[in-house]
Amino acid sequence: MRMQINRNYEQSKIKPVTAQRSLLLSIMQETGMHLDAKELYRRASKKDANISLATVYRNLHLFKERGLIDERHLGQTRCYYEMKRLGGHQHLDLVCQGCRQIIEFKSPLIRKLIAEVQRKNDFSVTKVELYLEGYCNKCKEPKR
Amino acid sequence: MRMQINRNYEQSKIKPVTAQRSLLLSIMQETGMHLDAKELYRRASKKDANISLATVYRNLHLFKERGLIDERHLGQTRCYYEMKRLGGHQHLDLVCQGCRQIIEFKSPLIRKLIAEVQRKNDFSVTKVELYLEGYCNKCKEPKR
DNA sequence: ATAGGTGCAAATGGTTTGCGAAAAC
DNA sequence: GTTTTCGCAAACCATTTGCACCTAT
């Protein structure tokens, strides 16, 4: 099966350019939000009905390793992925237990906290995962 | 199978007192650190060779629901559990990618950050999961 | 030509669940 | 005696992997 190949990631560190990789990256770029593997697979399948979930997983690992995307867990058993942002991409995710929306929260305190950890514990940070669960303003009134 | 029952959790909100529940809670209390279900099961099996992993899982859910323990993910597919601490138990976990140890880090910045979220986003926080991955002072010099 | 990627189906690992036997109250 | 839990094995779900085939370079 031969496909149109979008080479707009050629300058990146991804070695062999394949149709599947182009497709996956362009979906992630357009989407600009957290996607899990299944959802990415669902969206990719609309353009390439033969793409397999294994390919999605393999390439997510590759993209992560090459620093193109970030992985977050957000308290789920599955993982979420999103394109890496430039600059201060440190943020806190607020996961609403009512509507399941994910709200991003940025604050200078996050950078300060990370700096404090590095200094006080001599710990060199490579990955930041910060999230809170609770109820957003629309979903207040928790069940109990 | 009849066992000695430790009733020291009778005042808690756990409805029927069973030998398995007493055992599991006492192990968690003695241990005072992050345990995953398998490790808790391993330790419980030494005292009660017949206890099943399903019972461990079911009771971990129960304890969590009743507010006796906290659950954390720490970037793993499995979950870790620990007894709930009194007062400002908010902390950040540092997960070392070298030796896999988990270091707890406390800072007033954490409370400030959470307060800021509640105020600025009108988000009512019910669960806090904060962790960083990286290399501890002994494991510095990441592989690449 | 060849290193490496892909699809498929099977394997894995943590967690959950249906069910009949047994314990708690 | 009734309600709930327990142990077992099977089911689940996200993810990973072995393998034969195919593609990019």
Side-chain angles (χ1 to χ4, degrees):
Chain A
M1 172 250 326
R2 204 143 232 287
M3 297 189 75
Q4 186 59 31
I5 293 188
N6 166 1
R7 297 188 179 248
N8 67 3
Y9 69 93
E10 226 165 0
Q11 286 120 322
S12 79
K13 312 131 201 173
I14 305 292
K15 302 192 268 192
V17 175
T18 68
Q20 292 87 337
R21 289 174 180 177
S22 293
L23 175 57
L24 294 174
L25 278 175
S26 69
I27 292 172
M28 297 215 60
Q29 231 145 18
E30 285 165 19
T31 307
M33 56 168 280
H34 300 274
L35 285 177
D36 62 18
K38 266 263 191 64
E39 179 60 25
L40 178 55
Y41 170 66
R42 221 171 279 126
R43 295 180 188 216
S45 298
K46 290 179 187 164
K47 293 252 185 176
D48 171 1
N50 286 328
I51 199 169
S52 91
L53 189 52
T55 295
V56 172
Y57 277 109
R58 281 191 278 237
N59 283 316
L60 282 171
H61 287 306
L62 180 68
F63 300 160
K64 180 174 68 156
E65 189 193 308
R66 296 303 205 282
L68 295 179
I69 63 175
D70 277 321
E71 175 191 78
R72 316 208 73 195
H73 294 81
L74 303 177
Q76 311 291 308
T77 82
R78 67 190 159 188
C79 295
Y80 292 90
Y81 299 89
E82 61 179 358
M83 293 303 292
K84 182 158 277 180
R85 323 295 171 83
L86 309 170
H89 57 285
Q90 303 316 19
H91 63 273
L92 185 66
D93 283 312
L94 310 181
V95 182
C96 177
Q97 290 165 345
C99 58
R100 302 312 299 175
Q101 77 171 306
I102 296 167
I103 303 162
E104 274 184 26
F105 183 81
K106 294 193 178 109
S107 163
L109 285 181
I110 295 172
R111 208 164 25 75
K112 280 187 195 154
L113 184 59
I114 295 169
E116 192 185 17
V117 165
Q118 311 231 38
R119 183 161 38 79
K120 289 203 182 157
N121 269 68
D122 190 24
F123 188 90
S124 106
V125 174
T126 59
K127 182 177 179 189
V128 176
E129 280 216 42
L130 307 172
Y131 66 90
L132 305 177
E133 288 184 28
Y135 293 89
C136 72
N137 50 10
K138 298 191 201 87
C139 299
K140 283 288 176 66
E141 300 306 311
K143 303 135 199 170
R144 54 186 174 89
Chain B
M1 169 251 326
R2 205 142 231 288
M3 298 188 74
Q4 186 60 30
I5 295 189
N6 165 2
R7 300 192 174 241
N8 68 3
Y9 69 93
E10 224 165 1
Q11 287 120 321
S12 80
K13 313 129 202 173
I14 306 292
K15 303 191 270 194
V17 176
T18 69
Q20 292 88 339
R21 289 173 180 176
S22 292
L23 175 57
L24 293 174
L25 278 174
S26 68
I27 291 172
M28 297 216 58
Q29 231 143 20
E30 286 165 16
T31 306
M33 55 167 282
H34 299 275
L35 285 176
D36 62 19
K38 267 264 191 64
E39 178 60 25
L40 178 55
Y41 170 66
R42 221 172 278 126
R43 294 180 187 215
S45 299
K46 289 180 188 163
K47 294 253 185 175
D48 171 1
N50 287 328
I51 199 169
S52 91
L53 189 52
T55 296
V56 172
Y57 276 109
R58 280 192 276 238
N59 283 316
L60 282 172
H61 287 307
L62 181 68
F63 300 160
K64 180 174 67 154
E65 189 193 307
R66 296 302 206 281
L68 295 179
I69 63 176
D70 277 320
E71 175 191 76
R72 315 206 75 195
H73 294 81
L74 303 177
Q76 311 291 307
T77 82
R78 66 188 161 193
C79 295
Y80 292 91
Y81 299 89
E82 62 179 359
M83 292 304 292
K84 184 158 276 182
R85 327 276 179 91
L86 309 170
H89 58 284
Q90 301 318 18
H91 63 272
L92 185 66
D93 283 310
L94 310 181
V95 182
C96 178
Q97 289 165 344
C99 58
R100 303 312 301 176
Q101 78 171 305
I102 296 166
I103 303 162
E104 273 186 27
F105 182 81
K106 295 193 178 108
S107 162
L109 285 182
I110 296 172
R111 208 163 25 74
K112 279 187 197 156
L113 184 58
I114 295 170
E116 192 186 16
V117 166
Q118 311 232 38
R119 182 163 37 81
K120 288 204 184 159
N121 269 68
D122 189 25
F123 188 91
S124 107
V125 174
T126 58
K127 182 177 181 189
V128 177
E129 279 215 43
L130 307 172
Y131 67 91
L132 304 178
E133 287 183 29
Y135 293 89
C136 71
N137 50 10
K138 297 190 200 87
C139 298
K140 283 288 178 66
E141 299 307 312
K143 304 138 199 165
R144 54 188 173 89

